[in-house]
Amino acid sequence: MNKPNEIAAAEPPFQPADRPARVPRGFLLASAVVAIGFAWPLCQLARFALGSELYSHILLIPFISAYLVWQQRATLPASSSPHRQLAVAFFAAGLALLAGYALMAFPTSTLARDDSLALTTLSFLFFFAGVCAWFLGRRTLRAVCFPLAFLLFMVPLPVLFVSWIETALQHGSAAVAYALFALAGTTVFASGLSFQLSTITIQIAPECSGIHSSLALLVTSVLAGYFFLRSPGRRTILTLAVLPLALLRNGFRVGVIG
């Protein structure tokens, strides 16, 4: 029969859980300064997102990134040397974007609202990334690389880029719809983005391009790849699959209507 002291000696000593890594005060102060400096453009971005169907997801992006960092708070690596050279590069990029915005927006504004917000938001993200690289250690920076990169979804797409995407989705959806009509044996006369059937004419307008749902699907696929896939290649394939899925969805919708 074992004695109480022998049983206690055989048990492993209690080890407290690892404490979350401490956030440097300089990082918090510098982040607050950057946020205050960009307070007006960020407020304009929030108002723009509230009134936009295409960019309504922007308001959720910072909270999702913050949650991703909070989720791994207990596993963040210990302090290490910061990457000051990378920080300087981020600051230089942010200043260059601000300079470009100032040249194009003043004294007479020639920028669309989307383009203006894209420049100021991207400049803010570069400055924030510079603050992270200046104060956080290299290992910590690598650990939070995805949440930081995910913040890029806060940037509105330039107007010209949106027009290109809508045009590509329109023509891609038209090609899929025509293939479905042919597969079903439906008599149809196709002319560009229009389909003439026996009783109706269907035209794929920019509003029917599916860019809104495609952008939401892109954000969702990036998050799903981060949570459920470990291979960068598989994550990339999942993200790239958004385009054919969007074309198949729109083409199938047009084909069913026809």
Side-chain angles (χ1 to χ4, degrees), residues 15 83 133 137 140-141 144 185 209 247:
Q15 296 180 353
H83 203 317
T140 303
L141 198 62
V144 299
S209 64
L247 298 180

Side-chain angles (χ1 to χ4, degrees), residues 40-101:
W40 177 250
L42 291 178
C43 288
Q44 294 297 314
L45 177 66
R47 293 179 58 184
F48 172 73
L50 283 173
S52 173
E53 294 182 359
L54 180 59
Y55 299 114
S56 57
H57 65 277
I58 286 179
L59 298 176
L60 296 176
I61 299 301
F63 296 99
I64 295 175
S65 293
Y67 170 75
L68 294 178
V69 175
W70 178 83
Q71 191 181 40
Q72 54 180 331
R73 66 194 184 281
T75 59
L76 289 177
S79 60
S80 57
S81 60
H83 203 317
R84 298 290 167 81
Q85 294 85 355
L86 182 62
V88 172
F90 281 135
F91 290 142
L95 285 174
L97 287 174
L98 280 183
Y101 168 74

Side-chain angles (χ1 to χ4, degrees), residues 73-245:
R73 66 194 184 281
T75 59
L76 289 177
S79 60
S80 57
S81 60
H83 203 317
R84 298 290 167 81
Q85 294 85 355
L86 182 62
V88 172
F90 281 135
F91 290 142
L95 285 174
L97 287 174
L98 280 183
Y101 168 74
L103 289 175
M104 289 184 286
F106 300 101
T108 57
S109 177
T110 58
L111 282 175
R113 190 181 184 188
D114 305 45
D115 297 338
S116 174
L117 290 174
L119 286 173
T120 54
T121 305
L122 191 56
S123 176
F124 163 74
L125 292 180
F126 272 127
F127 273 103
F128 180 68
V131 169
C132 293
W134 187 272
F135 290 98
L136 302 181
R138 295 172 185 249
R139 289 182 295 176
T140 303
L141 198 62
R142 284 195 294 267
V144 299
C145 181
F146 179 83
L148 285 177
F150 190 75
L151 290 174
L152 289 173
F153 283 113
M154 290 176 56
V155 181
L157 298 175
V159 175
L160 185 60
F161 194 35
V162 172
S163 178
W164 288 344
I165 294 176
E166 286 182 340
T167 302
L169 289 175
Q170 284 177 269
H171 286 276
S173 300
V176 172
Y178 185 76
L180 291 176
F181 284 137
L183 184 63
T186 304
T187 302
V188 58
F189 175 74
S191 177
L193 300 176
S194 299
F195 297 94
Q196 178 66 52
L197 288 89
S198 58
T199 56
I200 62 171
T201 299
I202 300 176
Q203 183 175 10
I204 304 178
E207 294 79 9
C208 302
S209 64
I211 187 173
H212 306 81
S213 55
S214 299
L215 185 55
L217 186 61
L218 176 63
V219 175
T220 305
S221 67
V222 171
L223 274 178
Y226 174 75
F227 279 115
F228 302 113
L229 300 176
R230 293 293 175 264
S231 170
R234 293 182 179 180
R235 293 177 179 178
T236 303
I237 293 174
L238 178 62
T239 302
L240 294 178
V242 169
L243 179 59
L245 284 176

